[in-house]
């Protein structure tokens, strides 16, 4: 089945130690998104790629970066995780305005 | 930017009951979607509904774009309907850049 896959499902990292979360898709969607969802809150868009074009939200901290080496893969890099970065990180894809599909998320814990 | 508000924030139902969830948005939208987040965190797209009415089984949704609100109807609720329902909207052009509402947390008890 076509889908959006996030790895790992759970990630524990040390305070200040760089961490990378990954997302892959088999839908051939041209847009990929990263959302951050903290406990009992709504998902908040961090950035997205429209094809190869990277678009950062104005209030996304510099600590968060992303890479999209090809259509299928997208990575979220957190350069120096703080305790406030503990959250569920959700990857999503779409083809222009249709077919918005989320992965199952990576729950990040910072110790 | 666009503001999205949902009500009620919490809802408890007995299995078999019907419910209506509401989403208000502050600007005209070209994209309005409803999602269900299950207890394990997975977000499932329920409806893409910038206007009009759609139905999918026990769920249906109506968006009145001119009055800037959308409703999600759940009929004959089941325990598997439990979770958080999010409305998300986009007022921009081109691809989807969704702003999520604060959600309605639904608990369906047997």
């Amino acid at each position: 089945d076509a889908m959006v896959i996030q790895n790992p499902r759970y990630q524990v990292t040390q305070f200040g130690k760089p961490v990378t979360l990954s997302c892959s898709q088999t839908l051939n969607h041209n847009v990929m998104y990263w959302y951050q969802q903290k406990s009992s809150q709504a998902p908040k868009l961090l950035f997205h790629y429209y094809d190869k074009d990277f678009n950062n939200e104005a209030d996304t901290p510099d600590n968060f970066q992303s890479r999209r080496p090809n259509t299928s893969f997208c990575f979220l890099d957190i350069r120096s995780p703080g305790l406030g970065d503990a959250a569920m990180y959700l990857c999503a894809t779409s083809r222009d305005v249709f077919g918005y599909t989320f992965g199952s998320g990576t729950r990040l814990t910072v110790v | 930017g666009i503001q999205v508000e949902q009500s009620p924030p919490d809802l408890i139902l007995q299995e078999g009951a019907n419910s209506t969830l509401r989403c208000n948005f502050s600007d005209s939208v070209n994209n309005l979607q409803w999602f269900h987040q299950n207890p394990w965190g997975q977000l499932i797209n329920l409806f893409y509904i910038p206007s009009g009415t759609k139905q999918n089984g026990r769920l249906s949704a109506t968006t009145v774009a001119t009055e800037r609100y959308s409703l999600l109807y759940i009929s004959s609720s089941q325990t598997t309907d439990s979770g958080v329902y999010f409305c998300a909207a986009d007022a921009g052009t081109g691809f989807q850049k969704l702003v999520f509402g604060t959600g309605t947390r639904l608990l369906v008890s047997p």
Side-chain angles (χ1 to χ4, degrees):
Chain A
D1 288 340
M3 58 180 63
V4 180
I5 301 168
Q6 291 188 243
N7 284 306
R9 188 76 174 92
Y10 299 92
Q11 176 74 57
V12 180
T13 191
Q14 292 181 336
F15 183 95
K17 184 176 181 180
V19 64
T20 295
L21 310 181
S22 71
C23 176
S24 64
Q25 56 134 336
T26 60
L27 296 161
N28 202 31
H29 282 173
N30 58 337
V31 192
M32 295 188 77
Y33 312 80
W34 280 104
Y35 283 84
Q36 179 192 61
Q37 186 178 25
K38 296 189 175 181
S39 181
S40 299
Q41 295 184 18
K44 179 179 179 297
L45 182 64
L46 295 174
F47 27 58
H48 70 273
Y49 277 92
Y50 188 91
D51 293 322
K52 294 182 179 180
D53 294 331
F54 177 71
N55 297 271
N56 200 31
E57 292 301 296
D59 56 354
T60 298
D62 293 339
N63 199 26
F64 291 84
Q65 297 180 338
S66 184
R67 296 170 283 136
R68 188 179 185 185
N70 54 51
T71 301
S72 301
F73 286 87
C74 195
F75 300 97
L76 170 61
D77 300 309
I78 309 177
R79 290 191 295 181
S80 182
L83 297 179
D85 297 328
M88 175 77 90
Y89 290 88
L90 296 160
C91 174
T93 71
S94 72
R95 173 155 291 283
D96 296 318
V97 296
F98 300 109
Y100 215 100
T101 305
F102 277 90
S104 54
T106 294
R107 189 171 297 279
L108 179 69
T109 300
V110 182
V111 297
Chain B
I2 190 170
Q3 305 295 316
V4 182
E5 296 181 350
Q6 293 183 243
S7 61
D10 297 280
L11 189 57
I12 300 175
L13 297 175
Q14 199 76 23
E15 197 168 25
N18 302 329
S19 63
T20 301
L21 283 58
R22 186 177 179 103
C23 172
N24 294 326
F25 41 92
S26 60
D27 287 313
S28 299
V29 296
N30 59 20
N31 184 357
L32 190 290
Q33 300 198 39
W34 284 96
F35 294 88
H36 174 225
Q37 189 167 39
N38 66 24
W40 296 272
Q42 176 74 55
L43 271 162
I44 303 296
N45 192 323
L46 298 175
F47 293 104
Y48 167 77
I49 188 164
S51 63
T53 297
K54 290 186 178 179
Q55 181 159 6
N56 184 2
R58 296 180 296 103
L59 302 181
S60 64
T62 295
T63 297
V64 183
T66 54
E67 298 186 23
R68 299 183 182 172
Y69 72 89
S70 183
L71 302 174
L72 178 69
Y73 306 96
I74 305 174
S75 64
S76 304
S77 58
Q78 301 176 358
T79 56
T80 52
D81 295 331
S82 297
V84 183
Y85 289 81
F86 287 105
C87 165
D90 174 23
T93 58
F95 59 89
Q96 307 176 68
K97 187 176 168 180
L98 295 174
V99 173
F100 281 73
T102 51
T104 292
R105 186 174 301 273
L106 174 65
L107 176 64
V108 181
S109 57

